[in-house]
Amino acid sequence: MSVRKIQDFNNDWSFIKEALPLSEAELARGESVSLPHTWNAIDGQDGGNDYHRGLCWYVKRFARPEGEKVFIEFQGVNSTAQVFLNGQFIGQHEGGYSTFRFELTGLLQDENVLCVSADNSPSERVYPQFADFTFYGGIYRDVKLISVPESHFDLEHFGSAGIFVTPRLEGKDASVQVETLLTGVKPGQQLRLQITDKSGQVVAEKTQTAGKTSFEVSLPDVHLWNGKDDPYLYTAHAALLCDGAILDEVSATFGVREYRIDPELGFFLNGRSYPLRGVSRHQDRLGKGNALSREDHEEDVKLIAEMGATYVRLAHYQHDQYFYDLCDQYGLVVWAEIPFISKYLPDGNENAISQMTELIKQNYNHASIICWGLSNEITMNGEDERLLAFHRELN
């Protein structure tokens, strides 16, 4: 019996800035790098618009990890990634701003070589391709190795955490629906939900058979998430049990709030007028490109809050999960969006839908998010019925 283990996988990578065949990339002597990393930190910021766009390789060697099932998690690779383990293709992900995972279990050996190609070349089907910002190439967010037992919370559902919390305000109380996604469940296993308040006290609890994966519990006299004035958060903890022992567990912070938008009077949060004044934020830094540290994200949110903003638009793509967490904690209202921008790609519909699905599935629990943005400046190259029809589909 084992429980989930999450290993930082950011160190000891070899970077090869050349579109080699896989067999040569495995053996190449590259530059030693740690993640997050981008190859456009300098040439993507000099104003020349001639930064390197192409396929580059990241290679890492590692010993077989413990665990019945082993997954690799990438929190952002721009913009198309292909992953190979011990010379075998594992999977491909298109879209540079969202989390994705692949299972490694069946191909693991005592000693392993993981090869990842990152490709920010121009494309006719992967957004974005036309915009006034740099499409930094690289594995520019964290990478994790996740080991779980055979029975576990699903790791392959659009990069989500496998837990979705929907609170609904009912007077002074709240009804909280929690849906979980499980895989490999066996007879006799149980699912336990605990909701804790800001101090860590359990305020609601329920246990049921693991064959039933959704819960509904009540929070009496609920404490609201009230923007910057009082960004109060609860946490939902879901645990998969076998004979009382925890096999796997996941958690999600959430806030209880209501909002509405009046075309004449503006934005209302929990029944009171709450004007939205704020900024648009990109995920890059001078000399670093988009390969930001946690400290960079923290400094950004502190600056936004310090200037008196109540709102932030996270342009033009899905941002780091940690930054959405910070917005929850600081009480900033968020507009979240995908990089469906500037020019419509007739061959890009599937990718835009995929990125929208990942944005929502991965960020479903954030109290700060009040809008999923469909597109941005998309009529710069004109508009036609195809574009309008696709907006309706995205919506």
Side-chain angles (χ1 to χ4, degrees), residues 74-83 91-102 116-121 123 125-129 133 135-141 158-159 283 290 316-319 337-340 345 348 350-359 362:
F74 296 90
Q75 296 180 6
V77 181
N78 205 26
S79 54
T80 296
Q82 289 194 325
V83 182
Q92 175 170 305
H93 182 264
E94 295 183 331
Y97 304 97
S98 52
T99 295
F100 61 96
R101 306 184 188 99
F102 297 124
V116 182
S117 68
D119 189 352
N120 66 341
S121 302
S123 167
R125 70 172 195 275
V126 180
Y127 285 101
Q129 293 300 323
F133 57 92
F135 309 141
Y136 297 98
I139 307 179
Y140 69 96
R141 290 186 189 152
F158 299 100
Q283 59 171 21
N290 60 353
H316 291 278
Y317 36 71
Q318 185 169 332
H319 284 232
E337 63 187 43
I338 58 170
F340 184 33
L345 305 176
E350 182 179 346
N351 180 251
I353 289 170
S354 172
Q355 292 200 51
M356 178 63 79
T357 305
E358 290 175 328
L359 175 73
Q362 293 173 24

Side-chain angles (χ1 to χ4, degrees), residues 171-224:
K172 291 186 176 181
D173 305 331
S175 169
V176 182
Q177 183 179 0
V178 180
E179 296 182 36
T180 63
L181 299 175
L182 295 170
T183 186
V185 171
K186 298 177 181 177
Q189 293 177 345
Q190 292 185 306
L191 191 59
R192 183 184 69 202
L193 173 70
Q194 292 179 324
I195 293 181
T196 56
D197 63 15
K198 197 171 185 177
S199 68
Q201 291 290 112
V202 176
V203 294
E205 184 171 3
K206 197 180 238 184
T207 301
Q208 61 197 30
T209 172
K212 184 182 178 185
T213 57
S214 63
F215 296 85
E216 187 151 340
V217 296
S218 295
L219 295 180
D221 198 21
V222 69
H223 195 141
L224 297 181

Side-chain angles (χ1 to χ4, degrees), residues 19-230:
L20 298 174
L22 170 65
S23 58
E24 294 181 29
E26 282 184 314
L27 302 173
R29 290 176 61 88
E31 174 191 356
S32 179
V33 300
S34 293
L35 308 179
H37 176 267
T38 176
W39 63 78
N40 298 125
I42 305 302
D43 67 358
Q45 297 188 331
D46 62 10
N49 201 31
D50 56 355
Y51 59 96
H52 181 78
R53 296 185 68 179
L55 186 148
C56 299
W57 286 98
Y58 293 84
V59 180
K60 182 177 173 72
R61 287 170 168 78
F62 65 101
R64 181 196 294 268
E66 295 179 357
E68 293 176 288
K69 299 276 188 178
V70 180
F71 294 82
I72 186 86
E73 175 184 277
F74 296 90
Q75 296 180 6
V77 181
N78 205 26
S79 54
T80 296
Q82 289 194 325
V83 182
F84 302 84
L85 180 63
N86 300 322
Q88 300 297 309
F89 177 70
I90 293 291
Q92 175 170 305
H93 182 264
E94 295 183 331
Y97 304 97
S98 52
T99 295
F100 61 96
R101 306 184 188 99
F102 297 124
E103 185 176 354
L104 305 181
T105 314
L107 292 173
L108 284 169
Q109 303 172 3
D110 290 340
E111 297 296 328
N112 302 277
V113 56
L114 183 72
C115 295
V116 182
S117 68
D119 189 352
N120 66 341
S121 302
S123 167
E124 289 300 318
R125 70 172 195 275
V126 180
Y127 285 101
Q129 293 300 323
F130 303 90
D132 57 353
F133 57 92
T134 297
F135 309 141
Y136 297 98
I139 307 179
Y140 69 96
R141 290 186 189 152
D142 291 341
V143 177
K144 307 286 185 184
L145 203 65
I146 304 173
S147 300
V148 291
E150 185 178 346
S151 304
H152 58 273
F153 290 92
D154 197 343
L155 287 159
E156 297 179 284
H157 186 70
F158 299 100
S160 74
I163 179 170
F164 303 92
V165 184
T166 309
R168 290 185 175 87
L169 198 56
E170 299 175 346
K172 291 186 176 181
D173 305 331
S175 169
V176 182
Q177 183 179 0
V178 180
E179 296 182 36
T180 63
L181 299 175
L182 295 170
T183 186
V185 171
K186 298 177 181 177
Q189 293 177 345
Q190 292 185 306
L191 191 59
R192 183 184 69 202
L193 173 70
Q194 292 179 324
I195 293 181
T196 56
D197 63 15
K198 197 171 185 177
S199 68
Q201 291 290 112
V202 176
V203 294
E205 184 171 3
K206 197 180 238 184
T207 301
Q208 61 197 30
T209 172
K212 184 182 178 185
T213 57
S214 63
F215 296 85
E216 187 151 340
V217 296
S218 295
L219 295 180
D221 198 21
V222 69
H223 195 141
L224 297 181
W225 186 88
N226 234 329
K228 286 184 71 177
D229 297 332
D230 186 11

Side-chain angles (χ1 to χ4, degrees), residues 267-286:
F267 184 78
F268 286 76
L269 179 63
N270 299 325
R272 67 187 176 109
S273 175
Y274 192 81
L276 300 183
R277 303 186 179 101
V279 297
S280 178
R281 186 244 187 188
H282 269 285
Q283 59 171 21
D284 54 2
R285 285 285 180 115
L286 182 63

